[in-house]
Amino acid sequence: MTKIFIINGGQKFGHSGGRFNETIANATVDFFTSMKEFEVKTTNINQDYNPSEEVEKYVWADVVIYHTPIWWFQLPHGFKKYIDVVFTEGHKKGIYVSDGRKADHPTRNYGTGGMLHGRKYMVTSSWNAPKEAFTLPGEFFMETSVDDGVLFGFHRMNAFTGMGRIDGIHFHDVEKNADIRSALKLYQEHLTQNFLNTEVYEHLLNSNS
């Protein structure tokens, strides 16, 4: 049985009700709970949480799935606080033991002190920006992808813990031109390809990349 930890980082704040990410997070829960091969635990960062219990969820999980909007080109402050609090609590308790360096080689092996080796993670993100803002010459993100740009640090954060990456999915133009039905269909296909395609999934679980 594969253990899936789903984190809804869709913060409710200002004019944002977090509805899109709540919908996607609920779709993730429904997808995995519909099959006996998976066991699911969840967290919603808008609700009270116990940092120690959150660390235990990370340690328990085979795969962590994050759902987050992007606010001002970074994670919402509530989701960032969750990570800061939980990862700090996880020091020497299952998330990381050190930054990986040794006194005799202080310039080498930074980022190798994680304790979550063998686990995987996946992230979905939602944007007001259209997809073309990342792909077309002269547009705002200068032809830099979400993963290589705004979420680069997020990916390195997870690598720091020892987790390997499963390619995620990014939803664009959701504030002004959201198409929930099409987004859910695309997401279902993404989950099916990555978790129900036996050849792909076994490669993901066995890979340390």
Side-chain angles (χ1 to χ4, degrees):
M1 181 174 290
T2 302
K3 295 172 284 190
I4 310 289
F5 176 29
I6 301 164
I7 302 174
N8 178 6
Q11 185 176 346
K12 299 178 181 180
F13 176 80
H15 68 276
S16 175
R19 291 186 296 275
F20 183 87
N21 280 275
E22 186 171 0
T23 298
I24 297 298
N26 287 341
T28 310
V29 173
D30 291 343
F31 179 86
F32 288 109
T33 56
S34 69
M35 293 170 283
K36 63 181 180 181
E37 296 89 348
F38 298 95
E39 184 179 356
V40 172
K41 292 186 179 182
T42 64
T43 287
N44 185 328
I45 61 96
N46 297 283
Q47 300 169 355
D48 291 338
Y49 52 83
N50 181 309
S52 294
E53 292 177 358
E54 298 305 301
V55 172
E56 290 174 2
K57 291 178 184 178
Y58 270 91
V59 175
W60 167 86
D62 297 309
V63 180
V64 179
I65 299 180
Y66 301 99
H67 299 293
T68 184
I70 300 299
W71 290 1
W72 291 107
F73 316 113
Q74 53 196 309
L75 302 184
H77 61 272
F79 187 21
K80 180 59 166 61
K81 178 182 178 181
Y82 169 87
I83 289 169
D84 289 346
V85 169
V86 173
F87 280 32
T88 299
E89 180 67 23
H91 181 219
K92 296 184 178 180
K93 296 179 182 177
I95 292 183
Y96 76 103
V97 67
S98 70
D99 69 11
R101 295 179 294 166
K102 306 296 182 184
D104 54 343
H105 291 289
T107 65
R108 298 292 185 267
N109 298 317
Y110 177 82
T112 60
M115 301 176 71
L116 294 176
H117 293 279
R119 281 80 165 183
K120 302 291 181 181
Y121 77 95
M122 189 187 85
V123 59
T124 77
S125 68
S126 58
W127 295 76
N128 174 51
K131 184 177 181 179
E132 290 77 9
F134 299 86
T135 60
L136 295 180
E139 288 297 318
F140 186 80
F141 290 98
M142 299 179 290
E143 299 178 79
T144 303
S145 71
V146 172
D147 294 300
D148 291 336
V150 171
L151 285 185
F152 178 80
F154 184 85
H155 289 305
R156 298 322 298 160
M157 174 197 80
N158 283 282
F160 190 97
T161 72
M163 286 195 285
R165 175 177 158 190
I166 298 172
D167 286 339
I169 185 170
H170 308 298
F171 301 99
H172 298 283
D173 209 4
V174 301
E175 188 168 338
K176 296 176 181 174
N177 295 298
D179 184 344
I180 301 298
R181 184 172 299 178
S182 294
L184 286 173
K185 181 177 184 296
L186 186 66
Y187 184 49
Q188 290 280 345
E189 293 171 354
H190 182 82
L191 291 176
T192 298
Q193 171 65 12
N194 282 282
F195 293 94
L196 299 187
N197 182 314
T198 303
E199 183 177 342
V200 172
Y201 188 50
E202 287 183 350
H203 170 74
L204 289 172
L205 289 183
N206 294 329
S207 171
N208 290 320
S209 61

